[in-house]
């Protein structure tokens, strides 16, 4: 029997020790906190929260895999969310899944999502739930109806104070306040990537076990990569500095474009292979499209942990303090060299504009 037949008849298994997600999170959080034992209450809490997030991921993955076979799973609801965007049925479903997995958990008092104008409170959790979950339930919704990859993004923050007026003012702080962040990518397999501030680790869902199994620990992004990932259809409405960068990659050997319409998918490629993702400000959306608390800050947390960088073009994303819950920021994220290259075009234009006004091309 030849090699190819052997591959067909025997399922190859990878030599891994089947570390489960909750145990891994517990160990990592204990290291980050320099706690003395696995019984550290905060480490236990973060591990339990991650377990619930993983459950949400499994439920969403299951629904996505069957959505085309179900009535009323795909398409729009006819409503518009607080962002002014048309809501898909899958956005609503996934938003509800995150809420329901945290009910009666005693872990999370409040959830804030890009699909909800105000945070959602789970009052029975509040006496002991000391955390807030921030999330983008479905990232890349435009891919849902065409069976392409989408994701969920999450971030965990400590709840500070009682939040008596329900306005969640304590969430208007920089990204360094995140205790953990990550995403779930629903692709050919379902992958969960997370960090609690001690490296970035990925897990793959084994559907036969219903468990996320460790795939890669301490992922490090290359210092440079060939990929630039940006919606070039917005060229006409970018600032001149972003056009300068875009012209540069068009005119030099060694660059290739990849853009999937789902930030999580594009981010995952760049995390593993290097390069840069950009969503700059546009004429229509000067602050860009992506939301700080649910998208750019969690991914910036992961990127810095992987040895890369995340910038608005003018400051590090993690230093940016939002003025409102649904604050948007421009995003330039990826390999250190590639982010610096984009920033250098922004700085050059700023210097030139100080000395001579530039005509718009
Ligand atoms: P969401 O589906 O959560 O609204 O996010 C969509 C985001 C992001 O995933 C993607 O990179 C970007 O929007 C695509 O936007 P354009 O179609 O404007 O390129
Ligand atoms: Mn999104
Ligand atoms: Mn979304």
């Amino acid at each position: 029997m030849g090699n190819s037949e052997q591959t067909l008849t025997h399922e190859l298994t990878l030599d891994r020790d089947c570390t489960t997600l909750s145990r891994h999170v517990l160990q990592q959080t204990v290291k980050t906190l320099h706690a003395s034992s696995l019984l550290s209450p905060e480490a236990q809490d973060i591990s339990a929260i991650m377990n619930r997030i993983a459950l949400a991921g499994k439920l969403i993955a299951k629904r996505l895999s069957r959505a085309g076979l179900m009535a009323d799973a795909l398409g729009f609801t006819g409503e518009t969310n607080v962002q002014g965007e048309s809501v898909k049925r899958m956005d609503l479903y996934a938003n509800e899944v995150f809420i329901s997995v945290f009910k009666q958990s005693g872990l999370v008092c409040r959830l804030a999502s890009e699909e909800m104008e105000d945070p959602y409170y789970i009052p029975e959790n509040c006496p002991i739930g000391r955390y807030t979950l921030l999330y983008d339930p479905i990232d890349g919704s435009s891919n849902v109806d065409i069976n392409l990859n989408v994701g969920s993004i999450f971030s965990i923050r400590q709840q500070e104070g009682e939040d008596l007026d329900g306005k969640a003012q304590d969430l208007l702080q920089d990204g360094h306040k995140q205790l953990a962040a990550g995403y779930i990518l629903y692709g050919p397999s379902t992958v969960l990537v997370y960090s609690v501030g001690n490296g970035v680790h990925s897990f793959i869902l084994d559907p036969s076990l219903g468990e996320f199994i460790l795939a890669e620990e301490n992922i490090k992004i290359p210092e440079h990569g060939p990929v630039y990932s940006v919606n070039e259809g917005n060229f006409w409405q970018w600032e001149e500095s972003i056009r300068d960068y875009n012209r540069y990659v068009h005119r030099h050997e060694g660059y290739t474009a990849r853009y999937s319409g789902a930030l999580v998918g594009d981010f995952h490629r760049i995390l593993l292979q290097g390069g840069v993702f950009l969503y700059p400000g546009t004429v229509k959306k000067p602050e860009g499209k992506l939301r700080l608390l649910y998208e750019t800050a969690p991914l910036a947390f992961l990127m810095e942990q992987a040895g890369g960088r995340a910038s608005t073009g003018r400051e590090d994303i993690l230093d940016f303090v939002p003025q409102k819950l649904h604050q948007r920021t421009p995003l330039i994220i990826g390999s250190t060299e590639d982010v610096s290259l984009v920033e250098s075009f922004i700085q050059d234009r700023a210097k030139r504009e100080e000395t001579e006004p530039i005509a718009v091309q």
Side-chain angles (χ1 to χ4, degrees):
M1 190 160 50
N3 273 350
S4 57
E5 284 165 86
Q6 276 175 358
T7 313
L8 284 174
T9 51
H10 298 281
E11 190 176 326
L12 296 175
T13 50
L14 297 171
D15 181 22
R16 299 214 173 98
D17 63 356
C18 290
T19 304
T20 58
L21 178 66
S22 47
R23 181 153 193 89
H24 196 267
V25 176
L26 188 60
Q27 289 165 343
Q28 291 297 320
T29 314
V30 163
K31 278 189 205 160
T32 308
L33 298 173
H34 304 292
S36 53
S37 97
L38 293 179
L39 297 174
S40 147
E42 185 169 339
Q44 296 269 348
D45 286 348
I46 301 290
S47 167
I49 292 171
M50 200 69 78
N51 225 11
R52 300 281 170 148
I53 292 170
L55 174 59
K58 289 179 217 174
L59 290 163
I60 295 166
K62 184 173 166 220
R63 179 120 174 154
L64 284 168
S65 70
R66 301 188 57 240
L69 301 168
M70 299 163 72
D72 299 334
L74 296 176
F76 292 98
T77 63
E79 285 157 20
T80 304
N81 68 11
V82 59
Q83 324 283 338
E85 296 160 347
S86 301
V87 178
K88 293 233 154 146
R89 290 193 173 101
M90 200 58 78
D91 290 321
L92 272 197
Y93 172 81
N95 194 56
E96 296 291 325
V97 164
F98 275 94
I99 292 171
S100 65
V101 298
F102 280 102
K103 282 196 172 151
Q104 294 171 347
S105 66
L107 294 163
V108 161
C109 166
R110 212 172 41 180
L111 295 96
S113 145
E114 68 170 31
E115 298 298 339
M116 302 186 289
E117 185 157 5
D118 296 315
Y120 183 98
Y121 287 80
I122 308 179
E124 71 265 24
N125 287 351
C126 290
I128 47 170
R130 294 177 294 137
Y131 306 92
T132 295
L133 182 81
L134 299 110
Y135 63 111
D136 177 358
I138 295 284
D139 172 67
S141 324
S142 75
N143 282 1
V144 165
D145 293 346
I146 50 167
N147 194 32
L148 290 181
N149 68 272
V150 294
S152 301
I153 308 174
F154 57 87
S155 163
I156 303 167
R157 293 186 184 226
Q158 190 93 48
Q159 178 154 341
E160 294 180 9
E162 296 291 309
D163 190 18
L164 294 174
D165 64 0
K167 292 285 172 207
Q169 290 297 309
D170 60 303
L171 292 176
L172 305 184
Q173 298 193 60
D174 66 52
H176 299 286
K177 287 277 181 181
Q178 296 172 104
L179 300 173
Y183 59 85
I184 303 160
L185 172 61
Y186 311 101
S189 56
T190 298
V191 181
L192 188 151
V193 176
Y194 86 94
S195 177
V196 289
N198 188 40
V200 178
H201 319 289
S202 70
F203 284 71
I204 297 176
L205 179 63
D206 181 333
S208 62
L209 294 174
E211 281 279 3
F212 281 99
I213 304 296
L214 181 63
E216 193 176 346
E217 273 187 312
N218 294 313
I219 298 171
K220 289 289 169 212
I221 183 171
E223 283 173 16
H224 164 70
V227 168
Y228 71 97
S229 186
V230 64
N231 185 346
E232 293 184 319
N234 288 328
F235 186 95
W236 67 275
Q237 47 170 346
W238 288 337
E239 280 180 11
E240 213 41 45
S241 56
I242 301 298
R243 296 186 200 182
D244 289 340
Y245 165 75
N246 198 239
R247 289 188 199 102
Y248 178 89
V249 293
H250 284 179
R251 291 170 188 176
H252 288 79
E253 193 180 352
Y255 292 97
T256 189
R258 292 285 184 274
Y259 192 75
S260 75
L263 170 62
V264 166
D266 293 324
F267 179 93
H268 193 65
R269 180 202 304 277
I270 285 166
L271 177 69
L272 299 185
Q273 300 177 348
V276 62
F277 175 97
L278 299 86
Y279 208 114
T282 59
V283 170
K284 286 188 188 163
K285 294 181 177 142
E287 295 175 327
K289 177 181 183 185
L290 302 171
R291 288 131 291 215
L292 181 76
L293 291 172
Y294 325 110
E295 292 171 318
T296 66
L299 295 183
F301 187 84
L302 291 170
M303 190 49 85
E304 291 207 358
Q305 284 294 317
R309 287 198 49 222
S311 164
T312 64
R314 285 163 181 91
E315 68 179 306
D316 284 349
I317 292 280
L318 290 182
D319 292 337
F320 191 103
V321 179
Q323 287 173 337
K324 53 187 181 195
L325 209 53
H326 298 287
Q327 176 87 49
R328 297 173 195 260
T329 59
L331 177 67
I332 302 159
I333 191 164
S335 299
T336 49
E337 282 180 20
D338 300 295
V339 172
S340 298
L341 179 64
V342 181
E343 285 177 330
S344 71
F345 284 97
I346 295 171
Q347 286 152 9
D348 282 358
R349 271 285 164 180
K351 272 189 215 137
R352 282 162 63 190
E353 280 171 10
E354 266 172 29
T355 50
E356 38 166 311
I358 294 166
V360 177
Q361 290 173 16

